[in-house]
């Protein structure tokens, strides 16, 4: 998608529900005691995968006038509806969150399961969750070492653990946290920097006993007690900050834009992108919205302003990990050099995002180079707005690699070009944000 003129984007929008929170709500409601109601859930393919897997594990769910209703079976009440000798076959599609978080729950079950996914997911590291879950007593076997999908998991009686993760990953943390609910006694988990804490917040709401600690050097430790019972959820899911980020960027790229995004989730573990943008000189105001949910929400007011390049790294990275592709796009249009460091994790996402960004950006004639743990980009400043508007300089496609965030990032950059940038595949955006193109189209139509 691309505009033929650089008319400012103006309007007030709401994005769909948060993907990370929706995955957790489906998984945890499924093992709660009783009926949960979830409103405003993310409607992307990834979350549907999680819902489908839980249905296969014997958890009824349906949508009624109140929202998504999940009839929880209790921590130990899951019962696969179909299975073979190797266990129930669970298709995680493209979703790393489904595969990793589900393993945390399956580790505590007394039946085997077989997890598989698409090509991208089958390349992604699973050893990071397999190692602690094995230490707790689960068996996780794949075709290779270190383990990847497809894998077989057989759980059972788990013991508590004290585990220090090398990566700040909410998926690893959540897998261990979920398994710890099944273990007797107290488990401890430490990560080098705090990653998003949606699992902790939701479990606290459901009655689990969780204690958090941050060290002066930034490491984050969770202590969790095993339990017999989780209370059901009554939850309204806020707008997905990660989808909002791509629309915020559109407004920051197009002169005179003014955009309002309503009821966006602003959990501090997710909003590192706002901190980075403010450092770049962006004009963004957040107005908190009162809600009874444990997840904070705000209306975001964004006004166009030219941006300057900055360096991002350290503890900011886990707080903006899914926004780094769109940060890179903004860096292209900013004045001066931007650097992303400490972000090796980008290589293990739905695609190698460092390579995907580098090849797309370079193909557009913008200077960039890959770093072992990130990317350096020479922003063109206002030049990008002026020089490239007359024609698209590309003869071949930018390869989105079937990665939803790469597709969204280059779709936003495409707004600056008079002819749409040819992108290999944008249908993958419906993995997280089926509403993204309709919202962008609506904004462009109202210019
Ligand atoms: C997610 C955590 C992040 C993020 C992913 C969703 C989650 O991954 O990149 O899109 O819902 O827990 P890591 O925390 O593993 O880096």
């Amino acid at each position: 998608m691309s505009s033929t003129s650089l008319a400012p984007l103006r309007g007030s929008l709401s994005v769909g529900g948060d993907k990370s929170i929706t995955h957790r709500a489906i998984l945890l409601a499924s093992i709660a005691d009783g009926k949960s109601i979830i409103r405003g859930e993310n409607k992307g393919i990834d979350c549907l995968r999680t819902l489908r897997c839980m249905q296969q594990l014997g958890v009824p769910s349906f949508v009624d006038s109140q929202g998504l209703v999940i009839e929880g079976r209790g921590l130990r009440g899951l019962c696969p509806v179909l299975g073979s000798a190797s266990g129930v076959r669970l298709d995680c599609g493209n979703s790393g969150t489904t595969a990793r978080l589900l393993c945390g729950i399956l580790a505590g079950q007394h039946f085997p399961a077989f997890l598989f996914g698409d090509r991208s997911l089958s390349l992604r590291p699973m050893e990071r969750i397999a190692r602690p879950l094995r230490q707790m007593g689960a068996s996780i076997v794949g075709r290779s070492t270190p383990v990847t999908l497809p894998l077989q998991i057989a759980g059972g009686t788990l013991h508590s653990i004290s585990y220090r993760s090398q990566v700040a990953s909410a998926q690893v943390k959540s897998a261990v946290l979920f398994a710890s609910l099944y273990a007797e006694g107290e488990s401890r988990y430490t990560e080098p920097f705090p990653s998003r804490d949606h699992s902790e917040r939701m479990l606290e709401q459901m009655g689990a006993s969780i204690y958090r600690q941050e060290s002066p050097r930034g490491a984050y430790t969770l202590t969790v007690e095993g339990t017999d019972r989780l209370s059901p959820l009554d939850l309204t899911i806020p707008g997905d900050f990660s989808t909002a980020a791509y629309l915020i960027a559109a407004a920051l790229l197009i002169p005179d834009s003014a955009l309002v995004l309503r009821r966006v989730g602003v959990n501090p573990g997710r909003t590192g992108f706002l901190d980075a943008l403010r450092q770049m000189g962006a004009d963004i105001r957040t107005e908190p919205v009162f809600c009874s949910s444990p997840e904070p929400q705000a209306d975001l007011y964004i006004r166009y302003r030219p941006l300057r390049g900055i360096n991002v790294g350290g503890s900011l990275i886990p707080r903006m990990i899914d926004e780094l592709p769109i940060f890179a796009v903004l860096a292209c249009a900013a004045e001066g050099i931007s650097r992303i460091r400490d972000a090796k994790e980008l290589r293990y996402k739905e695609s190698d995002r460092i390579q995907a960004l580098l090849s797309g950006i370079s193909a557009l004639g913008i200077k960039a180079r890959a770093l072992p743990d990130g990317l350096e980009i020479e922003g063109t400043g206002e030049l990008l707005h002026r020089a490239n508007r007359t024609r698209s300089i590309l003869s071949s496609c930018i390869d989105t690699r079937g990665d939803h965030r790469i597709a969204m990032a280059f779709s936003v950059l495409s707004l600056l070009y008079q002819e749409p940038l040819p992108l290999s595949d944008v249908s993958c955006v419906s993995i997280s944000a089926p509403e993204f193109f309709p919202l962008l189209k609506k904004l462009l139509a109202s210019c």
Side-chain angles (χ1 to χ4, degrees), residues 7-263:
L9 300 182
R10 287 172 181 263
S12 166
L13 305 172
S14 302
V15 294
D18 186 274
K19 178 163 90 74
S20 287
I21 301 174
T22 302
H23 278 299
R24 288 156 171 81
I26 295 169
L27 290 165
L28 293 177
S30 298
I31 55 168
D33 277 12
K35 193 190 272 188
S36 289
I37 298 168
I38 301 163
R39 286 170 289 271
E41 77 278 13
N42 178 286
K43 302 263 189 334
I45 296 170
D46 271 11
C47 290
L48 285 177
R49 292 276 180 204
T50 297
L51 192 62
R52 189 90 43 84
C53 288
M54 296 323 290
Q55 286 166 348
Q56 276 184 269
L57 292 171
V59 181
S61 54
F62 54 90
V63 176
D64 74 7
S65 57
Q66 299 185 78
L68 173 62
V69 179
I70 297 186
E71 292 182 353
R73 288 301 188 225
L75 277 153
R76 290 172 176 84
L78 297 180
C79 179
V81 283
L82 283 176
S84 64
S86 59
V88 57
R89 291 177 60 83
L90 300 169
D91 184 355
C92 303
N94 189 250
S95 176
T97 314
T98 307
R100 297 195 178 113
L101 271 58
L102 191 51
C103 279
I105 291 176
L106 291 170
Q109 309 303 320
H110 286 274
F111 55 79
F114 180 81
L115 265 64
F116 63 102
D118 69 8
R119 229 174 85 85
S120 147
L121 185 56
S122 305
L123 292 170
R124 297 179 64 186
M126 292 295 151
E127 194 63 33
R128 50 181 58 195
I129 53 129
R131 196 176 306 126
L133 297 180
R134 283 187 194 119
Q135 283 181 26
M136 296 180 81
S139 150
I140 298 180
V141 186
R143 287 191 195 130
S144 55
T145 313
V147 74
T148 49
L149 256 52
L151 62 78
Q152 167 122 35
I153 175 163
T157 307
L158 300 183
H159 25 263
S160 54
I161 191 178
S162 187
Y163 193 78
R164 185 172 284 271
S165 171
Q166 298 304 309
V167 284
S169 159
Q171 295 184 352
V172 180
K173 175 174 64 179
S174 301
V176 176
L177 185 52
F178 292 0
S180 301
L181 299 171
Y182 292 89
E184 205 163 297
E186 255 180 24
S187 292
R188 278 163 74 88
Y189 178 89
T190 301
E191 55 186 353
F193 296 120
S195 61
R196 64 191 70 185
D197 68 350
H198 304 307
S199 298
E200 294 92 306
R201 287 176 190 245
M202 202 174 285
L203 280 169
E204 278 161 354
Q205 190 190 357
M206 299 173 89
S209 162
I210 295 178
Y211 175 70
R212 314 159 182 236
Q213 230 178 338
E214 229 173 289
S215 82
R217 304 180 81 182
Y220 173 80
T221 299
L222 274 181
T223 309
V224 196
E225 252 175 55
T227 184
D228 287 330
R229 175 174 199 281
L230 294 174
S231 308
L233 286 168
D234 184 338
L235 184 71
T236 300
I237 295 186
D240 195 318
F241 182 82
S242 297
T243 306
Y246 289 74
L247 295 171
I248 293 173
L252 292 175
L253 278 178
I254 302 185
D256 298 325
S257 294
L259 194 61
V260 184
L261 294 168
R262 303 267 176 217
R263 300 192 83 93

